[in-house]
Amino acid sequence: MHVPDGFFNLPVSVGAGAVAVTGVGVCLRGARRELDDRTAPMAGLVAAFIFAVQMLNFPVAAGTSGHLLGGALAAILVGPYTAVLCVSVVLLVQGFFFADGGLTALGINITLMAIVTTIVGWAVFRLITRSVPGSRAAIVAASFVAALVSVPASALVFTLLFWIGGTAPIDIASVAAAMGGVHVLIGIGEGLITALTVSSVLAVRPDLVYGARGLARRLVLRTAEGGEVPVTEIPVTEAPEPTAAPSAAPSAGRLRPLFIGGGLVAILLAGVVSFYASSSPDGLEKVAADKGLNAHEQDHGLSDAPLADYGVKGIDNERLSGGLAGVAGVAITVLAGGAVFYTVRRRQRHKAAV
């Protein structure tokens, strides 16, 4: 879904850029309500994880591949406002360091991959979790469906934008069918990755899953006969937080293994597993080639960058070059995302102090 340069005319590119800037601005303010001392580092980790997993194209049909978009996943883990920022940071890193996604199409990519996927994914997730009894199984199932739906939704918005201001004539019905069909298959992969990730975090730190806030844990008394007597419902994330200063260090200590483990997973995925990713064109590239959408595609302005195309210039060994580029990308994303989320969190602290 990374749209290259030359796909859209100037008015649509500028209009999408305005939507992206406005959306990111709104989310910078909204994220202040979502980020705290625990979720701010979590957001940086989520951004790095999305970058790493986006390097893992998986086959979905003959000659076509797909990869994670990540909007729904980020929204469920760290909240919808912060999710838009997470994916936007990833897109900025990819566009400026790896020549992935056109610079003139950056607004379109943020609109499609960050804003649309987050809005649709979060809306579907909340609709499901409000309609069924709260449980971890329900949250995981809702995560799968939300992520699945968000991908073809983004693809169809792309089709609409291309029909309005694409640089090649199209039969909108034909392109919509092709884009929607292949991205439903990609959405299944997105759903599986999202459900697996959410389930893993729920298993170790359910309090760090934004979408699980309010999840109730049933407190029971076990009788001598082996039965259970319900006592009350205790929301997991509303358990009393230690407020004394000496408790801050143990809390940070409990978070550290998760962040270290998550960081190592991201490095492993980007630095090692990415070598085995599918080399087939992704859904957009395939449809663009088949339907003529790429008639006026332009080369990326930073195609000669040191990390362009996810390889380190000057290193001939493909595996080493790609692995080092992936690790560098994870590091850059952590630093860029950390800077954004730290700044947002600091401003919230300052506002609260005033």
Side-chain angles (χ1 to χ4, degrees), residues 31-46 77-79 82 86 207-210 213 255 259 341 345:
R32 296 177 186 178
R33 300 191 296 271
E34 297 172 347
L35 294 172
D36 55 32
D37 291 338
R38 296 177 302 170
T39 55
M42 181 72 173
L45 179 61
V46 168
L77 290 178
V78 293
T82 307
C86 285
D207 57 307
L208 293 179
V209 178
Y210 184 87
R213 293 184 177 184
L255 290 173
F259 295 142
F341 303 129
R345 177 60 181 151

PDB file of all heavy atoms in Angstrom, residues 31-46 77-79 82 86 207-210 213 255 259 341 345:
ATOM      1  N   ALA A  31      -3.315  12.309  21.752  1.00  0.00           N
ATOM      2  CA  ALA A  31      -2.404  11.341  22.359  1.00  0.00           C
ATOM      3  C   ALA A  31      -1.994  11.735  23.770  1.00  0.00           C
ATOM      4  O   ALA A  31      -1.558  10.881  24.550  1.00  0.00           O
ATOM      5  CB  ALA A  31      -1.156  11.182  21.484  1.00  0.00           C
ATOM      6  N   ARG A  32      -2.145  12.995  24.122  1.00  0.00           N
ATOM      7  CA  ARG A  32      -1.810  13.424  25.486  1.00  0.00           C
ATOM      8  C   ARG A  32      -2.677  12.707  26.516  1.00  0.00           C
ATOM      9  O   ARG A  32      -2.234  12.479  27.646  1.00  0.00           O
ATOM     10  CB  ARG A  32      -2.006  14.939  25.621  1.00  0.00           C
ATOM     11  CG  ARG A  32      -1.082  15.777  24.734  1.00  0.00           C
ATOM     12  CD  ARG A  32      -1.407  17.260  24.890  1.00  0.00           C
ATOM     13  NE  ARG A  32      -0.636  18.076  23.961  1.00  0.00           N
ATOM     14  CZ  ARG A  32      -0.756  19.398  23.850  1.00  0.00           C
ATOM     15  NH1 ARG A  32      -1.624  20.036  24.637  1.00  0.00           N
ATOM     16  NH2 ARG A  32      -0.024  20.065  22.981  1.00  0.00           N
ATOM     17  N   ARG A  33      -3.893  12.352  26.116  1.00  0.00           N
ATOM     18  CA  ARG A  33      -4.788  11.649  27.041  1.00  0.00           C
ATOM     19  C   ARG A  33      -4.501  10.155  27.092  1.00  0.00           C
ATOM     20  O   ARG A  33      -4.980   9.469  27.989  1.00  0.00           O
ATOM     21  CB  ARG A  33      -6.249  11.896  26.632  1.00  0.00           C
ATOM     22  CG  ARG A  33      -6.659  13.357  26.643  1.00  0.00           C
ATOM     23  CD  ARG A  33      -8.161  13.502  26.486  1.00  0.00           C
ATOM     24  NE  ARG A  33      -8.637  13.009  25.206  1.00  0.00           N
ATOM     25  CZ  ARG A  33      -8.718  13.749  24.103  1.00  0.00           C
ATOM     26  NH1 ARG A  33      -8.329  15.020  24.131  1.00  0.00           N
ATOM     27  NH2 ARG A  33      -9.167  13.232  22.977  1.00  0.00           N
ATOM     28  N   GLU A  34      -3.763   9.652  26.115  1.00  0.00           N
ATOM     29  CA  GLU A  34      -3.488   8.221  26.052  1.00  0.00           C
ATOM     30  C   GLU A  34      -2.118   7.843  26.602  1.00  0.00           C
ATOM     31  O   GLU A  34      -1.924   6.730  27.094  1.00  0.00           O
ATOM     32  CB  GLU A  34      -3.592   7.741  24.599  1.00  0.00           C
ATOM     33  CG  GLU A  34      -4.973   7.887  24.002  1.00  0.00           C
ATOM     34  CD  GLU A  34      -5.022   7.581  22.518  1.00  0.00           C
ATOM     35  OE1 GLU A  34      -3.939   7.499  21.901  1.00  0.00           O
ATOM     36  OE2 GLU A  34      -6.125   7.434  21.961  1.00  0.00           O
ATOM     37  N   LEU A  35      -1.172   8.754  26.517  1.00  0.00           N
ATOM     38  CA  LEU A  35       0.202   8.436  26.887  1.00  0.00           C
ATOM     39  C   LEU A  35       0.465   8.736  28.359  1.00  0.00           C
ATOM     40  O   LEU A  35       0.100   9.798  28.866  1.00  0.00           O
ATOM     41  CB  LEU A  35       1.183   9.238  26.024  1.00  0.00           C
ATOM     42  CG  LEU A  35       1.200   8.889  24.538  1.00  0.00           C
ATOM     43  CD1 LEU A  35       2.076   9.878  23.771  1.00  0.00           C
ATOM     44  CD2 LEU A  35       1.706   7.468  24.324  1.00  0.00           C
ATOM     45  N   ASP A  36       1.073   7.787  29.035  1.00  0.00           N
ATOM     46  CA  ASP A  36       1.560   8.005  30.390  1.00  0.00           C
ATOM     47  C   ASP A  36       2.948   7.396  30.496  1.00  0.00           C
ATOM     48  O   ASP A  36       3.561   7.057  29.479  1.00  0.00           O
ATOM     49  CB  ASP A  36       0.596   7.421  31.431  1.00  0.00           C
ATOM     50  CG  ASP A  36       0.304   5.937  31.190  1.00  0.00           C
ATOM     51  OD1 ASP A  36       1.196   5.223  30.685  1.00  0.00           O
ATOM     52  OD2 ASP A  36      -0.806   5.483  31.516  1.00  0.00           O
ATOM     53  N   ASP A  37       3.456   7.268  31.701  1.00  0.00           N
ATOM     54  CA  ASP A  37       4.825   6.784  31.854  1.00  0.00           C
ATOM     55  C   ASP A  37       5.007   5.350  31.374  1.00  0.00           C
ATOM     56  O   ASP A  37       6.127   4.919  31.090  1.00  0.00           O
ATOM     57  CB  ASP A  37       5.248   6.882  33.331  1.00  0.00           C
ATOM     58  CG  ASP A  37       5.410   8.325  33.772  1.00  0.00           C
ATOM     59  OD1 ASP A  37       5.619   9.176  32.886  1.00  0.00           O
ATOM     60  OD2 ASP A  37       5.321   8.596  34.988  1.00  0.00           O
ATOM     61  N   ARG A  38       3.910   4.591  31.299  1.00  0.00           N
ATOM     62  CA  ARG A  38       4.013   3.215  30.806  1.00  0.00           C
ATOM     63  C   ARG A  38       3.763   3.130  29.314  1.00  0.00           C
ATOM     64  O   ARG A  38       4.472   2.428  28.594  1.00  0.00           O
ATOM     65  CB  ARG A  38       3.016   2.306  31.544  1.00  0.00           C
ATOM     66  CG  ARG A  38       3.270   2.161  33.024  1.00  0.00           C
ATOM     67  CD  ARG A  38       2.181   1.307  33.663  1.00  0.00           C
ATOM     68  NE  ARG A  38       0.841   1.876  33.437  1.00  0.00           N
ATOM     69  CZ  ARG A  38      -0.291   1.256  33.714  1.00  0.00           C
ATOM     70  NH1 ARG A  38      -0.267   0.042  34.212  1.00  0.00           N
ATOM     71  NH2 ARG A  38      -1.456   1.837  33.509  1.00  0.00           N
ATOM     72  N   THR A  39       2.744   3.844  28.827  1.00  0.00           N
ATOM     73  CA  THR A  39       2.357   3.695  27.432  1.00  0.00           C
ATOM     74  C   THR A  39       3.261   4.472  26.472  1.00  0.00           C
ATOM     75  O   THR A  39       3.327   4.119  25.295  1.00  0.00           O
ATOM     76  CB  THR A  39       0.904   4.146  27.234  1.00  0.00           C
ATOM     77  OG1 THR A  39       0.752   5.483  27.731  1.00  0.00           O
ATOM     78  CG2 THR A  39      -0.046   3.230  27.974  1.00  0.00           C
ATOM     79  N   ALA A  40       3.948   5.517  26.942  1.00  0.00           N
ATOM     80  CA  ALA A  40       4.843   6.254  26.050  1.00  0.00           C
ATOM     81  C   ALA A  40       5.977   5.367  25.530  1.00  0.00           C
ATOM     82  O   ALA A  40       6.209   5.300  24.318  1.00  0.00           O
ATOM     83  CB  ALA A  40       5.395   7.495  26.752  1.00  0.00           C
ATOM     84  N   PRO A  41       6.693   4.629  26.394  1.00  0.00           N
ATOM     85  CA  PRO A  41       7.692   3.690  25.865  1.00  0.00           C
ATOM     86  C   PRO A  41       7.054   2.585  25.025  1.00  0.00           C
ATOM     87  O   PRO A  41       7.631   2.126  24.037  1.00  0.00           O
ATOM     88  CB  PRO A  41       8.339   3.113  27.125  1.00  0.00           C
ATOM     89  CG  PRO A  41       8.049   4.090  28.207  1.00  0.00           C
ATOM     90  CD  PRO A  41       6.723   4.686  27.862  1.00  0.00           C
ATOM     91  N   MET A  42       5.859   2.154  25.417  1.00  0.00           N
ATOM     92  CA  MET A  42       5.155   1.120  24.667  1.00  0.00           C
ATOM     93  C   MET A  42       4.868   1.589  23.241  1.00  0.00           C
ATOM     94  O   MET A  42       4.980   0.820  22.279  1.00  0.00           O
ATOM     95  CB  MET A  42       3.850   0.770  25.376  1.00  0.00           C
ATOM     96  CG  MET A  42       3.021  -0.308  24.707  1.00  0.00           C
ATOM     97  SD  MET A  42       3.761  -1.934  24.873  1.00  0.00           S
ATOM     98  CE  MET A  42       2.454  -2.950  24.171  1.00  0.00           C
ATOM     99  N   ALA A  43       4.523   2.861  23.083  1.00  0.00           N
ATOM    100  CA  ALA A  43       4.231   3.404  21.756  1.00  0.00           C
ATOM    101  C   ALA A  43       5.470   3.370  20.866  1.00  0.00           C
ATOM    102  O   ALA A  43       5.383   3.051  19.675  1.00  0.00           O
ATOM    103  CB  ALA A  43       3.696   4.831  21.885  1.00  0.00           C
ATOM    104  N   GLY A  44       6.625   3.708  21.431  1.00  0.00           N
ATOM    105  CA  GLY A  44       7.863   3.621  20.653  1.00  0.00           C
ATOM    106  C   GLY A  44       8.150   2.203  20.211  1.00  0.00           C
ATOM    107  O   GLY A  44       8.586   1.958  19.078  1.00  0.00           O
ATOM    108  N   LEU A  45       7.899   1.251  21.098  1.00  0.00           N
ATOM    109  CA  LEU A  45       8.103  -0.156  20.770  1.00  0.00           C
ATOM    110  C   LEU A  45       7.128  -0.614  19.692  1.00  0.00           C
ATOM    111  O   LEU A  45       7.502  -1.363  18.777  1.00  0.00           O
ATOM    112  CB  LEU A  45       7.945  -1.011  22.026  1.00  0.00           C
ATOM    113  CG  LEU A  45       8.104  -2.526  21.868  1.00  0.00           C
ATOM    114  CD1 LEU A  45       9.498  -2.866  21.363  1.00  0.00           C
ATOM    115  CD2 LEU A  45       7.838  -3.228  23.199  1.00  0.00           C
ATOM    116  N   VAL A  46       5.887  -0.173  19.772  1.00  0.00           N
ATOM    117  CA  VAL A  46       4.889  -0.540  18.773  1.00  0.00           C
ATOM    118  C   VAL A  46       5.289  -0.021  17.399  1.00  0.00           C
ATOM    119  O   VAL A  46       5.177  -0.729  16.386  1.00  0.00           O
ATOM    120  CB  VAL A  46       3.500  -0.004  19.175  1.00  0.00           C
ATOM    121  CG1 VAL A  46       2.511  -0.109  18.016  1.00  0.00           C
ATOM    122  CG2 VAL A  46       2.971  -0.765  20.379  1.00  0.00           C
ATOM    123  N   LEU A  77      -3.353  -1.534  20.910  1.00  0.00           N
ATOM    124  CA  LEU A  77      -2.289  -1.597  21.909  1.00  0.00           C
ATOM    125  C   LEU A  77      -2.080  -0.266  22.648  1.00  0.00           C
ATOM    126  O   LEU A  77      -1.885  -0.257  23.865  1.00  0.00           O
ATOM    127  CB  LEU A  77      -0.975  -2.027  21.262  1.00  0.00           C
ATOM    128  CG  LEU A  77      -0.892  -3.482  20.785  1.00  0.00           C
ATOM    129  CD1 LEU A  77       0.461  -3.738  20.134  1.00  0.00           C
ATOM    130  CD2 LEU A  77      -1.117  -4.453  21.941  1.00  0.00           C
ATOM    131  N   VAL A  78      -2.103   0.861  21.924  1.00  0.00           N
ATOM    132  CA  VAL A  78      -1.740   2.133  22.560  1.00  0.00           C
ATOM    133  C   VAL A  78      -2.780   3.229  22.403  1.00  0.00           C
ATOM    134  O   VAL A  78      -2.583   4.353  22.870  1.00  0.00           O
ATOM    135  CB  VAL A  78      -0.370   2.640  22.034  1.00  0.00           C
ATOM    136  CG1 VAL A  78       0.745   1.716  22.469  1.00  0.00           C
ATOM    137  CG2 VAL A  78      -0.380   2.801  20.522  1.00  0.00           C
ATOM    138  N   GLY A  79      -3.906   2.946  21.750  1.00  0.00           N
ATOM    139  CA  GLY A  79      -4.949   3.947  21.595  1.00  0.00           C
ATOM    140  C   GLY A  79      -4.967   4.522  20.192  1.00  0.00           C
ATOM    141  O   GLY A  79      -3.931   4.588  19.520  1.00  0.00           O
ATOM    142  N   THR A  82      -2.656   7.790  19.410  1.00  0.00           N
ATOM    143  CA  THR A  82      -1.246   7.417  19.397  1.00  0.00           C
ATOM    144  C   THR A  82      -0.943   6.496  18.229  1.00  0.00           C
ATOM    145  O   THR A  82       0.164   6.527  17.673  1.00  0.00           O
ATOM    146  CB  THR A  82      -0.866   6.739  20.721  1.00  0.00           C
ATOM    147  OG1 THR A  82      -1.256   7.585  21.811  1.00  0.00           O
ATOM    148  CG2 THR A  82       0.625   6.483  20.806  1.00  0.00           C
ATOM    149  N   CYS A  86       2.108   6.538  15.569  1.00  0.00           N
ATOM    150  CA  CYS A  86       3.014   5.401  15.394  1.00  0.00           C
ATOM    151  C   CYS A  86       3.221   5.083  13.917  1.00  0.00           C
ATOM    152  O   CYS A  86       4.356   4.982  13.429  1.00  0.00           O
ATOM    153  CB  CYS A  86       2.470   4.163  16.101  1.00  0.00           C
ATOM    154  SG  CYS A  86       2.637   4.162  17.890  1.00  0.00           S
ATOM    155  N   ASP A 207      -2.480  -4.900  31.322  1.00  0.00           N
ATOM    156  CA  ASP A 207      -2.670  -3.494  31.658  1.00  0.00           C
ATOM    157  C   ASP A 207      -2.053  -2.565  30.623  1.00  0.00           C
ATOM    158  O   ASP A 207      -2.355  -1.369  30.602  1.00  0.00           O
ATOM    159  CB  ASP A 207      -2.055  -3.199  33.031  1.00  0.00           C
ATOM    160  CG  ASP A 207      -0.584  -3.550  33.094  1.00  0.00           C
ATOM    161  OD1 ASP A 207      -0.231  -4.703  32.745  1.00  0.00           O
ATOM    162  OD2 ASP A 207       0.237  -2.687  33.474  1.00  0.00           O
ATOM    163  N   LEU A 208      -1.197  -3.107  29.744  1.00  0.00           N
ATOM    164  CA  LEU A 208      -0.573  -2.282  28.719  1.00  0.00           C
ATOM    165  C   LEU A 208      -1.330  -2.300  27.395  1.00  0.00           C
ATOM    166  O   LEU A 208      -0.922  -1.654  26.435  1.00  0.00           O
ATOM    167  CB  LEU A 208       0.872  -2.748  28.474  1.00  0.00           C
ATOM    168  CG  LEU A 208       1.850  -2.529  29.633  1.00  0.00           C
ATOM    169  CD1 LEU A 208       3.232  -3.047  29.255  1.00  0.00           C
ATOM    170  CD2 LEU A 208       1.914  -1.061  30.027  1.00  0.00           C
ATOM    171  N   VAL A 209      -2.430  -3.025  27.323  1.00  0.00           N
ATOM    172  CA  VAL A 209      -3.245  -3.075  26.109  1.00  0.00           C
ATOM    173  C   VAL A 209      -4.371  -2.060  26.244  1.00  0.00           C
ATOM    174  O   VAL A 209      -5.299  -2.248  27.031  1.00  0.00           O
ATOM    175  CB  VAL A 209      -3.809  -4.488  25.871  1.00  0.00           C
ATOM    176  CG1 VAL A 209      -4.687  -4.506  24.624  1.00  0.00           C
ATOM    177  CG2 VAL A 209      -2.675  -5.499  25.741  1.00  0.00           C
ATOM    178  N   TYR A 210      -4.299  -0.992  25.483  1.00  0.00           N
ATOM    179  CA  TYR A 210      -5.276   0.088  25.600  1.00  0.00           C
ATOM    180  C   TYR A 210      -6.699  -0.429  25.375  1.00  0.00           C
ATOM    181  O   TYR A 210      -7.631  -0.052  26.088  1.00  0.00           O
ATOM    182  CB  TYR A 210      -4.954   1.180  24.579  1.00  0.00           C
ATOM    183  CG  TYR A 210      -5.837   2.396  24.678  1.00  0.00           C
ATOM    184  CD1 TYR A 210      -5.512   3.440  25.546  1.00  0.00           C
ATOM    185  CD2 TYR A 210      -6.998   2.510  23.913  1.00  0.00           C
ATOM    186  CE1 TYR A 210      -6.330   4.564  25.641  1.00  0.00           C
ATOM    187  CE2 TYR A 210      -7.815   3.623  24.005  1.00  0.00           C
ATOM    188  CZ  TYR A 210      -7.476   4.649  24.870  1.00  0.00           C
ATOM    189  OH  TYR A 210      -8.292   5.750  24.967  1.00  0.00           O
ATOM    190  N   ARG A 213      -8.601  -2.024  28.432  1.00  0.00           N
ATOM    191  CA  ARG A 213      -8.938  -1.264  29.636  1.00  0.00           C
ATOM    192  C   ARG A 213     -10.410  -1.456  29.957  1.00  0.00           C
ATOM    193  O   ARG A 213     -11.275  -1.335  29.106  1.00  0.00           O
ATOM    194  CB  ARG A 213      -8.644   0.219  29.429  1.00  0.00           C
ATOM    195  CG  ARG A 213      -7.154   0.491  29.277  1.00  0.00           C
ATOM    196  CD  ARG A 213      -6.852   1.962  29.174  1.00  0.00           C
ATOM    197  NE  ARG A 213      -5.404   2.181  29.098  1.00  0.00           N
ATOM    198  CZ  ARG A 213      -4.827   3.377  29.072  1.00  0.00           C
ATOM    199  NH1 ARG A 213      -5.589   4.469  29.117  1.00  0.00           N
ATOM    200  NH2 ARG A 213      -3.518   3.488  29.010  1.00  0.00           N
ATOM    201  N   LEU A 255       8.473  -3.508  33.747  1.00  0.00           N
ATOM    202  CA  LEU A 255       8.256  -3.174  32.346  1.00  0.00           C
ATOM    203  C   LEU A 255       9.473  -3.494  31.489  1.00  0.00           C
ATOM    204  O   LEU A 255       9.345  -3.820  30.308  1.00  0.00           O
ATOM    205  CB  LEU A 255       7.921  -1.681  32.203  1.00  0.00           C
ATOM    206  CG  LEU A 255       6.561  -1.227  32.721  1.00  0.00           C
ATOM    207  CD1 LEU A 255       6.467   0.284  32.668  1.00  0.00           C
ATOM    208  CD2 LEU A 255       5.445  -1.847  31.901  1.00  0.00           C
ATOM    209  N   PHE A 259       9.876  -4.620  27.321  1.00  0.00           N
ATOM    210  CA  PHE A 259      10.426  -3.738  26.303  1.00  0.00           C
ATOM    211  C   PHE A 259      11.695  -4.318  25.680  1.00  0.00           C
ATOM    212  O   PHE A 259      11.904  -4.227  24.469  1.00  0.00           O
ATOM    213  CB  PHE A 259      10.714  -2.358  26.898  1.00  0.00           C
ATOM    214  CG  PHE A 259       9.462  -1.636  27.345  1.00  0.00           C
ATOM    215  CD1 PHE A 259       9.453  -0.870  28.498  1.00  0.00           C
ATOM    216  CD2 PHE A 259       8.291  -1.741  26.613  1.00  0.00           C
ATOM    217  CE1 PHE A 259       8.303  -0.222  28.911  1.00  0.00           C
ATOM    218  CE2 PHE A 259       7.136  -1.091  27.025  1.00  0.00           C
ATOM    219  CZ  PHE A 259       7.141  -0.325  28.172  1.00  0.00           C
ATOM    220  N   PHE A 341       6.865  10.766  21.189  1.00  0.00           N
ATOM    221  CA  PHE A 341       6.014  10.402  22.321  1.00  0.00           C
ATOM    222  C   PHE A 341       6.520  11.022  23.619  1.00  0.00           C
ATOM    223  O   PHE A 341       5.722  11.375  24.491  1.00  0.00           O
ATOM    224  CB  PHE A 341       5.919   8.883  22.427  1.00  0.00           C
ATOM    225  CG  PHE A 341       5.395   8.243  21.169  1.00  0.00           C
ATOM    226  CD1 PHE A 341       6.065   7.193  20.565  1.00  0.00           C
ATOM    227  CD2 PHE A 341       4.243   8.723  20.565  1.00  0.00           C
ATOM    228  CE1 PHE A 341       5.594   6.629  19.404  1.00  0.00           C
ATOM    229  CE2 PHE A 341       3.749   8.170  19.397  1.00  0.00           C
ATOM    230  CZ  PHE A 341       4.437   7.118  18.815  1.00  0.00           C
ATOM    231  N   ARG A 345       4.274  13.521  25.854  1.00  0.00           N
ATOM    232  CA  ARG A 345       4.099  13.220  27.279  1.00  0.00           C
ATOM    233  C   ARG A 345       4.601  14.372  28.145  1.00  0.00           C
ATOM    234  O   ARG A 345       3.965  14.738  29.136  1.00  0.00           O
ATOM    235  CB  ARG A 345       4.848  11.927  27.629  1.00  0.00           C
ATOM    236  CG  ARG A 345       4.807  11.554  29.099  1.00  0.00           C
ATOM    237  CD  ARG A 345       3.395  11.344  29.567  1.00  0.00           C
ATOM    238  NE  ARG A 345       3.336  11.006  30.984  1.00  0.00           N
ATOM    239  CZ  ARG A 345       2.323  11.281  31.773  1.00  0.00           C
ATOM    240  NH1 ARG A 345       1.254  11.897  31.295  1.00  0.00           N
ATOM    241  NH2 ARG A 345       2.335  10.930  33.050  1.00  0.00           N
TER     242      ARG A 345
END
